[in-house]
Amino acid sequence: MCGIFGIYSFERINVAKKIYYGLFALQHRGQEGAGIATSDGRNIHHYKNIGLVTDVFRDDVLQNLFGYIGIGHVRYSTTGGKAVENCQPFVVKSSFGNIAIAHNGDLVNSNELRMDLEKKGHIFTSSTDSEVIAQLLVRELLKTSDKIEAIKNTLKKLIGAYSLLIMFNDSLIAVRDPWGFKPLCIGRDDENIYISSEDCALTTLDAEFVKDLEPGEIIEIKDGGEISSYKLDFDVPEYMSIDVDVPSIYKGATTCMFEYVYFARPDSTIDGISVYKVRKRIGKILAKEHPVEADVVSPIPDSGVAFALGFSEGSKIPYYEGLIKNRYVGRTFILPSQNERELAVRLKLSPVKSVLEGKRVVLVDDSVVRGTTSRRIVNMVRKAGAKEVHLRIGSPKIISPCYYGIDMATKKELIASNKTEEEIGKKIGVESIGYLSLEGLIKAIGRKDLCLACITGKYPTDINFEKIAKRL
Amino acid sequence: MCGIFGIYSFERINVAKKIYYGLFALQHRGQEGAGIATSDGRNIHHYKNIGLVTDVFRDDVLQNLFGYIGIGHVRYSTTGGKAVENCQPFVVKSSFGNIAIAHNGDLVNSNELRMDLEKKGHIFTSSTDSEVIAQLLVRELLKTSDKIEAIKNTLKKLIGAYSLLIMFNDSLIAVRDPWGFKPLCIGRDDENIYISSEDCALTTLDAEFVKDLEPGEIIEIKDGGEISSYKLDFDVPEYMSIDVDVPSIYKGATTCMFEYVYFARPDSTIDGISVYKVRKRIGKILAKEHPVEADVVSPIPDSGVAFALGFSEGSKIPYYEGLIKNRYVGRTFILPSQNERELAVRLKLSPVKSVLEGKRVVLVDDSVVRGTTSRRIVNMVRKAGAKEVHLRIGSPKIISPCYYGIDMATKKELIASNKTEEEIGKKIGVESIGYLSLEGLIKAIGRKDLCLACITGKYPTDINFEKIAKRL
Amino acid sequence: MCGIFGIYSFERINVAKKIYYGLFALQHRGQEGAGIATSDGRNIHHYKNIGLVTDVFRDDVLQNLFGYIGIGHVRYSTTGGKAVENCQPFVVKSSFGNIAIAHNGDLVNSNELRMDLEKKGHIFTSSTDSEVIAQLLVRELLKTSDKIEAIKNTLKKLIGAYSLLIMFNDSLIAVRDPWGFKPLCIGRDDENIYISSEDCALTTLDAEFVKDLEPGEIIEIKDGGEISSYKLDFDVPEYMSIDVDVPSIYKGATTCMFEYVYFARPDSTIDGISVYKVRKRIGKILAKEHPVEADVVSPIPDSGVAFALGFSEGSKIPYYEGLIKNRYVGRTFILPSQNERELAVRLKLSPVKSVLEGKRVVLVDDSVVRGTTSRRIVNMVRKAGAKEVHLRIGSPKIISPCYYGIDMATKKELIASNKTEEEIGKKIGVESIGYLSLEGLIKAIGRKDLCLACITGKYPTDINFEKIAKRL
Amino acid sequence: MCGIFGIYSFERINVAKKIYYGLFALQHRGQEGAGIATSDGRNIHHYKNIGLVTDVFRDDVLQNLFGYIGIGHVRYSTTGGKAVENCQPFVVKSSFGNIAIAHNGDLVNSNELRMDLEKKGHIFTSSTDSEVIAQLLVRELLKTSDKIEAIKNTLKKLIGAYSLLIMFNDSLIAVRDPWGFKPLCIGRDDENIYISSEDCALTTLDAEFVKDLEPGEIIEIKDGGEISSYKLDFDVPEYMSIDVDVPSIYKGATTCMFEYVYFARPDSTIDGISVYKVRKRIGKILAKEHPVEADVVSPIPDSGVAFALGFSEGSKIPYYEGLIKNRYVGRTFILPSQNERELAVRLKLSPVKSVLEGKRVVLVDDSVVRGTTSRRIVNMVRKAGAKEVHLRIGSPKIISPCYYGIDMATKKELIASNKTEEEIGKKIGVESIGYLSLEGLIKAIGRKDLCLACITGKYPTDINFEKIAKRL
Ligand SMILES: Nc1ncnc2c1ncn2[C@@H]1O[C@H](COP(=O)(O)OP(=O)(O)O)[C@@H](O)[C@H]1O
Ligand SMILES: Nc1ncnc2c1ncn2[C@@H]1O[C@H](COP(=O)(O)OP(=O)(O)O)[C@@H](O)[C@H]1O
Ligand SMILES: Nc1ncnc2c1ncn2[C@@H]1O[C@H](COP(=O)(O)OP(=O)(O)O)[C@@H](O)[C@H]1O
Ligand SMILES: Nc1ncnc2c1ncn2[C@@H]1O[C@H](COP(=O)(O)OP(=O)(O)O)[C@@H](O)[C@H]1O
Ligand code: SF4
Ligand code: SF4
Ligand code: SF4
Ligand code: SF4
Ligand SMILES: [Mg+2]
Ligand SMILES: [Mg+2]
Ligand SMILES: [Mg+2]
Ligand SMILES: [Mg+2]
């Protein structure tokens, strides 16, 4: 997934520390690596490494990142190997000076673009899309002296999800792809313009929210903090028509529904829609769609919390925390051995016996993580005394992989793809299971210009499956 | 506060890794340092250091901690300097072989005992109570060959809070002080006996809960996993009589009420009473004691969550999470500078605008942390659009310091000591404020054999204030 | 300067650990960073970082560097900023598979090449010559399918010093530039072919020395350990004719004299000439060229040791170690503050009073490091009781910068450029000073095909000073 | 062995950083751990850890070690386990305030003293002699208010080697044991009094050497830098009479001969005798005692250097460095596997072929380290082309263990104990071998008040072998 954050200080104050705090607020978007690049108007300084924001940056490192323009990146952990080369921002020296790029999303045609470039003699030092974009951009810059023109020409070649920050020595450019897959918004205060994946980072820095970038919008921030907006004219192909009675925000856009359901922070607002409210509404709808007689509604924390609160509201079944998540989870620790998998679950989640004992319990979560983990949780809940366990899932079944940046492999969602709900419920060992309907999802989000590909199998872009396969 | 955890494997399997996981589950009881000591029957091995459990122990360190008996400790961060010497278990060589001690609580007379011992020529390498206890114990062991006798004679000298683990080369002893200040319980499975500060760690290790130690109870675990129980005959002086219609669990005991209100993990059960349920009941009573017209009840997370849920249940005002706590808080990070104090609060807590906007909000927490922090949170909530802010506190005003192991100085509670509720509310800037009543607290907990000293100023033990002052 | 080391195991055994030991033996050639890249025939694995070989590599890192072909690099500390990007080997993905390059030396025209490439749309992620070479190479590979042809075409564009290791997925290529500036040699044992900057690393690994690469020689090692040798036809321009009666080893070559005098390890043999013996001969000649009445000859360790032994032999003045070098120097330590510069010198070097007291002392070293340091050493020697101090230098005055990879700026040699020997001696505060003559130097080395540019100001290649200046 | 270093700044300037530099200069005396304790007149601050001085201390740690009095310690690596508890200074709180102790040497009766104390109820947290001394001292301080009196009473109980630094809140005391086993000297400058194991650390800090402490001397430094000297009246039993015509420095003393031969830094002067000169004289005498026809004399560096120079002077055989020691040895690195033992030797030492080829070589070292290592070195020298190899050893055969602080186990000298010189030579594989004679050793050192126990088996103190055995 990744998170990106940029600042342009028109008061020319060093921005590295503010970017550090912004990335800290976006840490949930990626825990594998972090990086910051800053420009002092002449040179680009940068530092990146494997690890959490707080591990990667120490005070002395930040203090050496001079400059009043800066961009930062938190990298999502993918199944591929960890390597500092794949951390971002990607920084290059070119005949147009230094360029730094930070990218959130996944290009569907990056493999083709990469092979094309390689055939023209370009070489690659990383496996990031940012490097592909950088190479394309520099080629376009050779053709036209107009930066925005060159960027537009570059972007027209890209298919897939990209929220981008591009930093030149003296300007900062932000782009949201024409499909509007990933969020990106602008904020400001008296001294700075901010660009952030989610507005929660603006709140952290006490910046005022200005607006979400529109799909296909290019924002340029230059000297004095002047902001210009451009529009990429790119015809997004028609996506499947959805027959639910809610409006579109951006005509033709296909914003990732999973940002609302799972990925974004609950206190964020994406394209004007509160993530927290979406989740509560989902819970409420779920209660209507899959009612059950029960004593207690409990979330699987943290993702299930808002759903469960909504479910409780909708069902009038009282909400209790039947599972406590250990707050020190997330730190690297000595793993239990292979045959202690249950311990691994108990180290993360702990049942509150007094809440569960003798009760008919509704467990709510965003999705079914690997059947086995869910089964272990259900077991644990039963062992703590629950009489019945009912599972409610805040999204429809995920049946198809995502090619736009969310690693479904890690979420191992695809268990649902070839099983009926009943079979899944049986496997997990619950009295009943209920998934949110597609219509319910769209209504809860309240917009229909959504990507729903992982649920429906219909992709808003062409997918060259053969090329993608090759690259793996 | 500290947390302690011990294992005796009567199957003679190495216990270090299990202790590691137990301490991980008790991490909330102390984040400053951690240590483990193990005995292989002949020698004691140990390792301790500053930092979280996951930082202190690496696999190779654990693998060198041989032994089938072991005790561990997580150290509470106090205002005093960090030093590895003050980490526990405290391990000594004596004429009776090696002894390791882990202690949770604070002795009121440790300074006197220490000075006494120093006058007799003893020296101290740390400022822990464990070292005082070790010295006393060795002196008693010189007088009698009966270990339990010697331990009893030692304990009779101690005034204050102590939940203790004492490990000899070939046995493990657990003690809970006669007042029962701090919790301590026993668990078991097919291969091990466990002793833990809270039963949540038993759950993590899938051990069966056996019982809480009674105040003044001494448990000895020896070869083959045989458990013997002894009783320290020690007359606890009469504490203040409480005229609330709830029973006592242990006659004459004074268990710390703050364990229920704030310190213990919500999924723990202390002396048969569920912490989570106490907190929910507190919220409900609070709703009755300080009703308010409002649109939304929101906790200050994490401590306020269960109170707020109870308040919502009691008041019928809907529960929403108006503040999100950044889950990466707790890691060492580069602090904002002095004049960015508000940023420090926003890095930890973030308002959910969509929940707060235009609403009359009830904020619920366990206690008023330094007026200034509360004021900043209230400001933030208002800035996010709240029309009114009402503060409800899940405990009575804290007016007196704790001498039994909870560092009120760090909680800076004493703001309440010389101000009326109104003054406090004004200082914080809320429309109304309401503290739980003493009676409400006792009812919610459901037992009256409690220490309430920090609320009432009446201490269950003698306190030699002069000596304590000297020691600071 | 840098050091490079490569292995091809025709028994297909992992080579990473052996490369680690090879780099350890070449550590004196560069202390700023280290890296290893290995190929398992299909993929290239690599790891590099700032720091000494022993700091950069841990066992688990080495164990993940699979592959039977491998190259390693130790990076010389330059005045430029430290950055992991500038560590080598430089690894790229191209349409011809992965390529890894390690380079020792400095190209004189890299800036021009770089600008050329940038104009063609290439971008750079580092400031290494390796990246320039990689880009050129990939362009040539597009034109011809013959690897050696492409390499030759690439090399013809390079002016300056380059000892190169190029690793493809399934082959290893070694190159020494046509001037033969930097050393490079081949070794072998029953299972591997080795390429090393100095033969001391072959000795460490108990490999048999095979031969030095000739200037302009290209070695290719392929399947089964077969070695092919190619010759780059490139006309090196005529260098200044030297009228000293010693032979050339390679006609027209200009091997760096400083490798013999200072840079290489004393136990290495370069192009058939023992470094240790050269240094001893220098000392002897120096004794003839600048005789002095004295009681003791003492080196400034370590560089002065062999010179001083030769001087003693030549002059019959007894050799004593008047200065001891602290063997823990080289580790990062807390530096003395600005006004404790003398302490910095004393932390490194310590006088042996019993040797110096009341004596007329000849101090011998390879060159005059910053006047100030020398003055401090001389002061220290005097303070220890020396009656007279005479300085003898094992090389002629360095008057011109090196553009081939030795950072004269760090050696601050250029003090000599605008001062007479007398003035220098006065500044340093010695009774007499004596530099080796140019003729003496050539005789001591015993070959005349040497680069002497930093001594004479006459460079064996064209130098585009303007371009070089721009790049700084 | 260990090294100790203390400072009293009568100008009341913080001394921690100066102690750090002093310990850096004494690092050769112990590489396992390091520590510093400082007193600001009221409190003692301290920090110690496993590792080299440069690894243990970072700037922020040093900056927190406030105080104008301070002592430091470098710990010798012993075969026992590494544990921070065994690092020194040992710091305790007692009824007499804080006390910090740093100790160099080994008490012969520490085990008895320890058991005595344990029987009296004392406990021990480390296995250091310092802790034993601290406990005894505090007991004596209870009996008399006169500090020096108490120290004297304590010291009278100690048998064995001890050079001690004892720091109270407001004074610094230095002691050298009545046998004078280990060196200890005083220095001063305008602001500080220094105490150091060797004077090389005084030179590093540019302090003036004042005097060596005499055996049995107690030095007290108090307010204003006033120095008082006391004499411990303790009758050292008569040691074996040595019939060599050299004087004693301190009548009845038994200073460790090994300090001169191996342990101390060559630039140090112990009890007025230059270590470097002793070593050169040893070489000269060795040349007379074991003459040989040869072409080259070469040291096994570093210990053999001065001997070899002396041998060359005595024999007129030219001195060459036939072996180069890798200067990065000493850093923790990834060890060769078991069956690569020869590699381990080659990583440390490298032959200079050009020096050895075709030559009859005399190798000189201080002692025979484990037969196997020597054999490997000799092999290596032969493989490099040496025609003959003759070994000369700068000390007599070591046949008996040292109980005064030098871990002969690590030096594995005892190979010599049950073999004739010829047998040893055969095992190592040399043409001839020659050990220095006892008389030669004493003459070279130039004093006869030496401990020679490890050579002769006659110990200057009673040794309770049974007790020592028990303790192992
Ligand atoms: N600070 C936060 N507070 C509450 N929820 C958060 C926070 N940050 C991220 N989240 C949410 O946490 C969820 C993921 O956490 P969780 O469910 O505990 O982990 P997992 O991905 O292992 O199931 C996401 O839904 C995300 O929106
Ligand atoms: N894993 C957990 N999940 C929920 N609450 C927890 C957990 N561990 C500890 N707690 C509770 O968290 C509270 C303290 O956290 P919090 O309020 O966020 O911090 P602070 O002490 O800074 O106010 C305590 O009341 C404790 O009972
Ligand atoms: N292991 C070694 N033993 C002896 N000399 C070495 C070794 N490694 C490198 N050298 C030599 O050491 C010299 C550099 O060290 P030195 O003079 O101490 O440092 P500096 O560069 O600070 O003057 C070079 O001449 C090099 O040839
Ligand atoms: N800075 C120094 N320069 C030269 N010799 C030293 C220095 N420091 C310690 N020594 C000497 O080095 C010797 C030990 O080093 P060495 O022989 O290389 O190691 P080993 O103990 O492994 O044989 C001792 O004789 C000691 O006196
Ligand atoms: S496929 Fe699913 S996860 Fe991927 S962008 Fe579309 S909705 Fe989001
Ligand atoms: S004084 Fe308060 S915090 Fe301390 S033990 Fe008593 S109730 Fe608990
Ligand atoms: S200029 Fe000097 S240092 Fe550089 S290559 Fe030539 S001889 Fe060597
Ligand atoms: S026994 Fe040997 S090493 Fe030990 S003190 Fe005596 S002379 Fe020194
Ligand atoms: Mg989840
Ligand atoms: Mg709280
Ligand atoms: Mg030098
Ligand atoms: Mg040696």
Side-chain angles (χ1 to χ4, degrees), chain B residues 134-427:
Chain B
Q135 305 255 27
L136 291 173
L137 176 55
V138 170
R139 289 182 74 90
E140 294 300 331
L141 282 165
L142 286 173
K143 295 186 205 150
T144 165
S145 62
D146 181 341
K147 239 184 235 172
I148 296 299
E149 200 53 36
I151 286 178
K152 282 184 177 174
N153 291 341
T154 302
L155 299 178
K156 277 177 195 155
K157 300 207 171 83
L158 311 182
I159 302 178
Y162 55 90
S163 280
L164 273 187
L165 290 173
I166 305 175
M167 181 170 69
F168 292 94
N169 280 350
D170 56 359
S171 68
L172 176 58
I173 286 157
V175 184
R176 188 174 181 195
D177 67 60
W179 297 265
F181 277 113
K182 299 291 152 200
L184 198 63
C185 64
I186 319 181
R188 72 176 309 148
D189 59 23
D190 289 353
E191 298 168 348
N192 311 281
I193 307 289
Y194 301 83
I195 312 279
S196 176
S197 284
E198 296 180 31
D199 66 331
C200 64
L202 301 179
T203 309
T204 295
L205 286 164
D206 205 24
E208 196 186 331
F209 172 81
V210 174
K211 74 185 274 300
D212 293 290
L213 266 80
E214 288 178 30
E217 186 170 1
I218 301 165
I219 289 289
E220 185 183 23
I221 311 164
K222 278 196 303 201
D223 226 15
E226 184 198 332
I227 305 180
S228 322
S229 168
Y230 306 89
K231 183 82 195 174
L232 181 66
D233 59 275
F234 179 98
D235 274 338
V236 163
E238 184 91 19
Y239 189 40
M240 58 181 224
S241 72
I242 299 172
D243 189 21
V244 180
D245 185 27
V246 293
S248 281
I249 293 183
Y250 307 114
K251 216 194 112 31
T254 56
T255 299
C256 170
M257 64 84 198
F258 219 56
E259 288 278 346
Y260 292 101
V261 170
Y262 171 79
F263 208 77
R265 243 172 66 173
D267 52 324
S268 285
T269 293
I270 298 175
D271 292 335
I273 298 172
S274 155
V275 170
Y276 189 73
K277 285 206 166 160
V278 168
R279 293 187 188 172
K280 270 221 156 178
R281 279 196 297 263
I282 284 177
K284 227 164 168 176
I285 295 173
L286 204 48
K288 298 297 165 231
E289 291 186 353
H290 299 283
V292 60
E293 291 262 308
D295 306 308
V296 160
V297 177
S298 168
I300 299 183
D302 290 331
S303 45
V305 173
F307 300 131
L309 284 166
F311 196 99
S312 167
E313 212 179 309
S315 65
K316 306 293 171 210
I317 303 169
Y319 171 95
Y320 279 85
E321 292 159 301
L323 293 163
I324 293 293
K325 186 173 162 193
N326 187 312
R327 58 167 73 173
Y328 301 96
V329 154
R331 308 184 153 267
T332 34
F333 68 64
I334 305 165
L335 289 172
S337 64
Q338 282 301 93
N339 46 18
E340 295 171 314
R341 279 288 158 84
E342 309 227 339
L343 173 56
V345 172
R346 286 193 316 266
L347 283 167
K348 186 175 173 186
L349 294 175
S350 208
V352 186
K353 272 184 216 162
S354 64
V355 161
L356 302 168
E357 217 151 38
K359 297 285 162 49
R360 292 166 303 171
V361 179
V362 185
L363 287 181
V364 192
D365 204 357
D366 63 297
S367 49
V368 177
V369 183
R370 280 168 183 276
T372 46
T373 301
S374 305
R375 200 178 55 230
R376 283 190 185 115
I377 295 172
V378 168
N379 268 351
M380 191 165 75
V381 166
R382 251 187 235 292
K383 201 164 171 180
K387 259 189 354 207
E388 292 177 16
V389 183
H390 302 270
L391 192 58
R392 294 298 175 267
I393 300 302
S395 60
K397 288 200 299 179
I398 306 286
I399 56 153
S400 213
C402 171
Y403 298 113
Y404 308 117
I406 289 186
D407 192 350
M408 289 303 176
T410 50
K411 293 229 75 195
K412 287 287 154 30
E413 272 302 335
L414 303 181
I415 180 197
S417 66
N418 52 12
K419 287 212 176 56
T420 64
E421 307 202 352
E422 258 190 4
E423 287 167 345
I424 297 168
K426 208 168 220 167
K427 200 176 162 219

Side-chain angles (χ1 to χ4, degrees), chain C residues 15 110 149 236 271 368 380 454:
Chain C
V15 295
S110 65
E149 200 53 36
V236 162
D271 293 333
V368 176
M380 192 165 73
C454 50

Side-chain angles (χ1 to χ4, degrees), chain A residues 318-373:
Chain A
Y319 170 96
Y320 278 85
E321 292 158 301
L323 293 163
I324 293 294
K325 186 173 164 197
N326 187 313
R327 57 167 75 170
Y328 300 96
V329 155
R331 308 184 150 267
T332 33
F333 69 63
I334 305 166
L335 288 172
S337 64
Q338 282 302 91
N339 48 16
E340 295 171 314
R341 278 290 158 84
E342 310 226 340
L343 173 56
V345 173
R346 287 193 314 269
L347 283 168
K348 187 175 173 187
L349 293 175
S350 207
V352 186
K353 272 182 214 164
S354 64
V355 162
L356 301 168
E357 216 150 40
K359 297 286 163 46
R360 294 168 301 172
V361 180
V362 185
L363 287 182
V364 192
D365 204 356
D366 62 298
S367 49
V368 176
V369 183
R370 283 171 181 270
T372 45
T373 301

Side-chain angles (χ1 to χ4, degrees), chain C residues 73-90:
Chain C
H73 187 269
V74 286
R75 181 172 159 78
Y76 185 54
S77 62
T78 52
T79 36
K82 291 185 182 185
V84 69
E85 283 93 349
N86 291 330
C87 291
Q88 299 189 33
F90 186 78

Side-chain angles (χ1 to χ4, degrees), chain D residues 21-40:
Chain D
Y21 292 127
L23 292 180
F24 181 73
L26 295 175
Q27 183 78 78
H28 64 289
R29 294 186 73 84
Q31 291 93 41
E32 187 179 292
I36 295 176
T38 55
S39 171
D40 56 18

Side-chain angles (χ1 to χ4, degrees), chain C residues 35 139 274 278 298 319 325 342 381 399 406 431 437 444 470:
Chain C
R139 290 183 74 90
S274 155
V278 167
S298 168
Y319 171 96
K325 185 172 163 196
E342 310 226 341
V381 166
I399 56 153
I406 289 188
E431 267 76 15
S437 69
K470 245 191 219 156

Side-chain angles (χ1 to χ4, degrees), chain C residues 1 161 181-182 239 254-259 398 400-408 441 450-460:
Chain C
M1 267 314 314
F181 277 113
K182 299 291 152 199
Y239 188 42
T254 56
T255 299
C256 170
M257 63 86 197
F258 220 55
E259 288 278 347
I398 306 286
S400 214
C402 172
Y403 299 112
Y404 308 117
I406 289 188
D407 192 351
M408 289 302 178
L441 174 72
L450 292 167
C451 173
L452 300 160
C454 50
I455 300 167
T456 61
K458 291 192 194 125
Y459 293 87

